[in-house]
């Protein structure tokens, strides 16, 4: 910095200027802060060591996690190219969504005859093993995303389909008929497309560019199966 | 196992910057000389001491290293307790060996990189292989090339599972001892893996030149025809259409697989055995998938069973005394048999 204080015109002079000679001209304005701490950057999170979060109240812990989950929900609903879902991955959101979806898809198994609806365990297993399979597939195709990051993204992108399930449930309260079915079909298709768009926005960057289609196809199948389960759900 | 020692004394020559190296040596093994300087009078279990030592070292990584230096300094004093030191080092060896073995085993079995070369495909390649799986090649004089990849077959099996689910839903199939998804996955994966293994075994008996991976890939791509046929006929319920597609599309993909196998087998008996088995299994599987999960028009079944019973009701009335766990295949077989009879009667 001291040497840079020389003006370019000085280059023609033969005699070297002493160090710090130009510093007398430099004045530091008051609004540039030059104080701070010299710290080794440990982690990018602002969280302190874990022992200090043990003493906070349960409400604080839960609210912090819920806020993180809610923030990620917003990212899914308005998908932009951002790294938040990948960087701060967590599996709370996928768990909440999966449990909600499985509960809503469960038929009351009162009568043993018509027991063909998906039960809780079935939906749960489909979602998690489907996500694991897609993750393995994308890793084998050469993606550079970690296992849990991919699980996190796939789980969060079920949110549109869960909303579709809620809407379908409400629509099914009305009278059944072809109009009913068309409305539900439309809603499910829109949410299905939204899920795929959201997950592609997050996952596509981690794949080699010429293999994106290979990685997206199983995601398409996965959300197709879930959408199909939602669409064909009829409460008894 | 080479006896490596902890050269604590050796690396303590420079106090400050060497401590990182000291910890590395503890965990990574050092020179082959037992350092007689580091004697200590220890009592109790050396293994636990080692564990404690490792734990302490790990904790002290976060804190200042000077504290660790002072503590370690205080321990290795004088020539006392040679036995204690030796047993401590032996325990250290065992710890590290165990840890190494465990991590090696884990990286061997949990390593999905074993499968990575089989997924090294481009979309254009997958597309061309899908189309080629429907085109039988006549040249049987020298072995035809089979692409040994697993991405295409795996995706096709999953697609078949999805189509099967669709078919089961539209036919209002009721599965009693199981779930829809479980049945679909079990059927498709069971066919792919089971029939591949069986044909590979027959190929071994018939001296055909084909590896397990190639057989998996071949059969997997052969399911492409099944996917097409089922996708169309689960939505358009016409028996004549199904038979036409069964012969045409199913036949084409079977012919392709048969041609590849014939080109890799020598001898007419062997060729007949191998290809006959594969053709029969492949075509019959398509037939089974269609009829087991196909919606039959209500009136036709009524003529068989009586007017009051709804169609495709999978109550096992016909095979009494069957264990509950076996009801599912029994009911499905019943329905298949009935459907076959129905279709034969209606033609």
């Amino acid at each position: 910095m001291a040497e840079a204080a020389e003006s370019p015109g000085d280059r023609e002079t033969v005699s070297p200027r002493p160090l710090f000679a130009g510093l007398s001209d430099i004045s530091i304005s008051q609004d540039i802060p030059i104080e701070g701490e010299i710290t080794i950057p440990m982690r990018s999170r602002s969280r302190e060591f874990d022992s200090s979060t043990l003493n906070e109240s349960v409400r604080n812990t839960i609210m912090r996690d819920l806020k993180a989950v809610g923030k990620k929900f917003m990212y899914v609903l308005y998908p932009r190219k951002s790294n938040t879902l990948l960087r701060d991955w967590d599996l709370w959101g996928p768990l909440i969504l999966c449990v909600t979806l499985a509960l809503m898809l469960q038929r009351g198994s009162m009568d043993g005859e018509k027991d063909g609806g998906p039960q809780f365990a079935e939906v749960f297993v489909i979602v998690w093993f489907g996500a694991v399979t897609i993750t393995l597939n994308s890793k084998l195709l050469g993606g550079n995303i970690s296992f849990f990051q991919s699980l996190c993204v796939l789980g969060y992108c079920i949110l549109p389909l869960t909303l579709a399930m809620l809407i379908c449930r409400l629509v099914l309260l009305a009278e059944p008929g072809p109009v009913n079915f068309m409305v539900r079909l439309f809603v499910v298709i829109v949410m299905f497309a939204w899920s795929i768009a959201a997950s592609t926005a997050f996952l596509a960057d981690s794949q080699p560019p010429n293999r994106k289609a290979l990685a997206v196809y199983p995601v398409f199948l996965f959300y197709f199966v879930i959408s199909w389960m939602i669409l064909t759900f009829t409460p008894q | 196992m080479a006896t490596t020692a902890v050269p604590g004394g050796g690396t303590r020559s420079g106090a400050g910057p060497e401590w990182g190296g000291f910890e590395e040596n503890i965990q990574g093994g050092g020179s082959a000389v037992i350092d007689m300087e580091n004697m200590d009078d220890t009592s109790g279990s050396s293994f636990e001491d080692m564990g404690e030592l490792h734990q302490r070292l790990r904790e002290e990584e976060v804190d200042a290293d000077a504290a660790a230096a002072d503590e370690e300094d205080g321990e290795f004093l004088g020539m006392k307790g040679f036995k204690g030191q030796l047993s401590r080092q032996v325990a250290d060896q065992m710890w590290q060996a165990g840890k190494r073995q465990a991590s090696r085993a884990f990286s061997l079995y949990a390593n999905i990189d074993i499968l990575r070369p089989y997924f090294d495909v481009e979309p254009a390649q997958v597309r061309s292989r899908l189309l080629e799986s429907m085109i039988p090649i006549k040249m049987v004089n020298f072995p035809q090339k089979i692409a040994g990849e697993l991405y295409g077959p795996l995706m096709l099996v999953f697609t078949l599972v999805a189509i099967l689910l669709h078919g089961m839903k539209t036919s209002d199939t009721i599965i009693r001892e199981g779930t829809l998804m479980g049945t679909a996955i079990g059927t498709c994966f069971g066919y792919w893996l089971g029939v591949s293994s069986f044909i590979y075994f027959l190929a071994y008996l018939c001296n055909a030149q084909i590896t397990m991976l190639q057989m998996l890939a071949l059969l997997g791509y052969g399911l492409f025809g099944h996917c097409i046929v089922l996708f169309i006929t689960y939505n358009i319920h016409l028996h004549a259409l199904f038979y036409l597609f069964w012969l045409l599309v199913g036949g084409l993909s079977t012919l392709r697989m048969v041609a590849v196998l014939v080109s890799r087998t020598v001898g007419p008996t062997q060729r007949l055995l191998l290809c006959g088995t594969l053709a029969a299994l492949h075509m019959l599987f398509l037939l089974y998938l269609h009829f087991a999960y196909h919606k039959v028009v209500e009136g036709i079944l009524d003529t068989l069973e009586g007017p009051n019973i709804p169609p495709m009701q999978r109550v096992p009335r016909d095979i009494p005394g069957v264990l509950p766990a076996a009801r599912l295949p029994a009911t499905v077989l019943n329905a298949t048999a009935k459907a076959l009879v129905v279709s034969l009667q209606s033609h």
Side-chain angles (χ1 to χ4, degrees):
Chain A
M1 277 286 281
E3 293 74 22
E6 295 177 348
S7 53
D10 276 339
R11 287 188 207 263
E12 291 95 16
T13 62
V14 179
S15 63
R17 295 179 56 169
L19 286 176
F20 308 114
L23 273 186
S24 54
D25 300 327
I26 295 176
S27 69
I28 297 168
S29 70
Q30 291 304 315
D31 27 317
I32 303 176
I34 44 169
E35 60 186 15
E37 290 177 359
I38 299 176
T39 52
I40 303 168
M42 300 269 292
R43 285 151 64 146
S44 55
R45 299 183 194 207
S46 55
R47 205 179 289 196
E48 299 166 359
F49 287 130
D50 286 341
S51 55
S52 68
T53 63
L54 271 178
N55 297 329
E56 65 179 7
S57 67
V58 173
R59 189 171 172 273
N60 276 353
T61 313
I62 294 181
M63 287 314 294
R64 189 178 60 230
D65 284 333
L66 278 181
K67 278 200 197 103
V69 167
K71 199 162 70 159
K72 294 200 187 83
F73 279 171
M74 284 300 122
Y75 274 113
V76 169
L77 285 180
Y78 304 107
R80 297 182 286 272
K81 284 217 185 291
S82 94
N83 274 337
T84 310
L85 224 64
L86 291 179
R87 201 177 51 225
D88 300 326
W89 62 266
D90 76 84
L91 293 178
W92 280 117
L95 183 68
I96 295 173
L97 287 173
C98 181
V99 168
T100 315
L101 194 63
L103 281 176
M104 286 197 289
L105 272 175
Q106 187 177 25
R107 268 185 226 200
S109 50
M110 292 295 130
D111 38 357
E113 284 287 335
K114 301 215 98 206
D115 205 22
Q119 300 304 306
F120 182 91
E122 194 179 357
V123 177
F124 209 81
V125 162
I126 289 175
V127 168
W128 287 102
F129 276 99
V132 165
T133 309
I134 297 175
T135 307
L136 283 178
N137 176 64
S138 81
K139 280 186 84 74
L140 284 170
L141 282 175
N144 58 359
I145 197 173
S146 97
F147 186 74
F148 286 109
Q149 282 172 341
S150 173
L151 276 186
C152 168
V153 168
L154 288 168
Y156 270 104
C157 291
I158 296 180
L159 176 66
L161 288 171
T162 312
L163 292 175
M165 183 71 217
L166 279 168
I167 299 178
C168 283
R169 268 272 171 146
L170 292 173
V171 169
L172 278 169
L173 290 175
E175 43 157 294
V179 175
N180 199 311
F181 181 72
M182 293 310 290
V183 168
R184 281 188 295 135
L185 181 68
F186 176 70
V187 166
V188 168
I189 288 182
V190 164
M191 293 302 185
F192 168 62
W194 201 338
S195 281
I196 295 197
S199 62
T200 312
F202 292 117
L203 286 180
D205 286 336
S206 67
Q207 289 293 325
N210 51 340
R211 291 191 188 177
K212 286 202 174 56
L214 295 184
V216 168
Y217 179 69
V219 176
F220 170 85
L221 269 183
F222 176 60
Y223 288 131
F224 177 79
V225 168
I226 298 181
S227 312
W228 188 248
M229 284 197 295
I230 292 174
L231 186 60
T232 58
F233 173 77
T234 50
Q236 293 302 112
Chain B
M1 206 93 52
T3 51
T4 63
V6 173
T11 54
R12 268 188 304 117
S13 48
E18 301 291 323
W19 287 112
F22 174 77
E23 278 146 20
E24 245 176 75
N25 282 329
I26 279 280
Q27 279 147 17
S31 71
V33 175
I34 297 181
D35 204 329
M36 300 286 279
E37 275 182 29
N38 311 322
M39 297 312 150
D40 186 21
D41 191 353
T42 59
S43 58
S45 161
S46 306
F47 199 72
E48 281 167 15
D49 284 344
M50 261 358 273
E52 222 176 81
L53 184 63
H54 281 284
Q55 177 65 25
R56 203 160 13 111
L57 286 170
R58 261 197 300 272
E59 282 165 8
E60 285 166 357
E61 244 176 345
V62 182
D63 290 338
D65 284 338
D70 288 339
E71 210 169 14
E72 295 298 327
D73 244 332
E75 279 187 11
F76 300 114
L77 287 177
M79 299 279 291
K80 294 184 292 185
F82 170 65
K83 274 190 198 159
Q85 184 60 28
L86 191 57
S87 58
R88 184 186 265 218
Q89 286 173 350
V90 167
D92 187 22
Q93 293 319 304
M94 284 171 53
W95 178 284
Q96 285 178 33
K99 200 165 102 157
R100 258 201 306 271
Q101 266 187 346
S103 61
R104 217 184 295 145
F106 178 74
S107 63
L108 186 67
Y109 290 115
N111 195 6
I112 61 167
D113 283 336
I114 298 174
L115 292 176
R116 205 179 275 269
Y118 308 136
F119 281 77
D120 191 15
V121 287
E122 305 292 319
Q125 281 178 325
V126 175
R127 213 173 19 240
S128 66
R129 281 172 198 166
L130 281 176
L131 291 174
E132 278 169 11
S133 74
M134 303 298 296
I135 303 172
I137 302 184
K138 273 217 181 125
M139 179 176 51
V140 295
N141 291 328
F142 62 88
Q144 294 181 19
K145 191 172 170 308
I146 307 176
E149 58 136 325
L150 286 179
Y151 174 82
L154 204 64
M155 288 305 126
L156 279 171
V157 173
F158 280 125
T159 311
L160 191 62
V161 167
I163 295 178
L164 213 60
L165 266 183
H166 167 48
M168 286 200 272
K169 280 284 188 182
T170 53
S171 73
D172 295 330
T173 300
I174 301 158
I175 306 282
R176 304 197 83 220
E177 305 284 342
T179 60
L180 276 175
M181 193 72 192
T183 314
I185 290 185
T187 312
C188 298
F189 269 96
Y191 174 76
W192 183 46
L193 296 171
V195 171
S196 289
S197 315
F198 180 61
I199 301 287
Y200 176 67
F201 167 67
L202 279 185
Y204 172 75
L205 290 181
C206 300
N207 275 332
Q209 295 171 20
I210 194 165
T211 67
M212 184 66 189
L213 172 72
Q214 287 173 330
M215 193 59 227
L216 280 172
L218 190 66
L219 195 65
Y221 274 112
L223 287 175
F224 181 54
H226 284 23
C227 286
I228 296 178
V229 174
L230 289 174
F231 183 65
I232 297 178
T233 58
Y234 276 156
N235 294 316
I236 308 174
H237 305 283
L238 286 175
H239 275 297
L241 185 71
F242 168 70
Y243 282 122
L244 186 69
F245 271 109
W246 179 61
L247 281 174
L248 261 183
V249 179
L252 272 179
S253 76
T254 312
L255 271 178
R256 154 116 186 136
M257 291 200 296
V258 159
V260 169
L261 277 181
V262 162
S263 75
R264 288 169 170 257
T265 318
V266 177
T269 322
Q270 288 92 328
R271 281 177 173 181
L272 191 62
L273 175 68
L274 199 56
C275 302
T277 318
L278 180 61
L281 284 172
H282 203 64
M283 300 294 273
L284 285 177
F285 183 58
L286 185 53
L287 212 60
Y288 166 75
L289 282 182
H290 178 79
F291 283 110
Y293 306 116
H294 176 61
K295 185 181 199 171
V296 180
V297 178
E298 225 173 296
I300 298 180
L301 263 189
D302 278 348
T303 64
L304 260 186
E305 305 186 29
N308 289 333
I309 298 163
M312 301 306 273
Q313 183 178 5
R314 301 188 184 268
V315 177
R317 292 183 308 273
D318 303 324
I319 302 185
V322 165
L323 295 172
R327 258 191 215 149
L328 172 61
T331 57
V332 170
L333 279 175
N334 270 340
T336 315
K338 282 192 200 105
L340 276 175
V341 167
V342 163
S343 59
L344 286 174
Q345 272 188 350
S346 64
H347 290 84

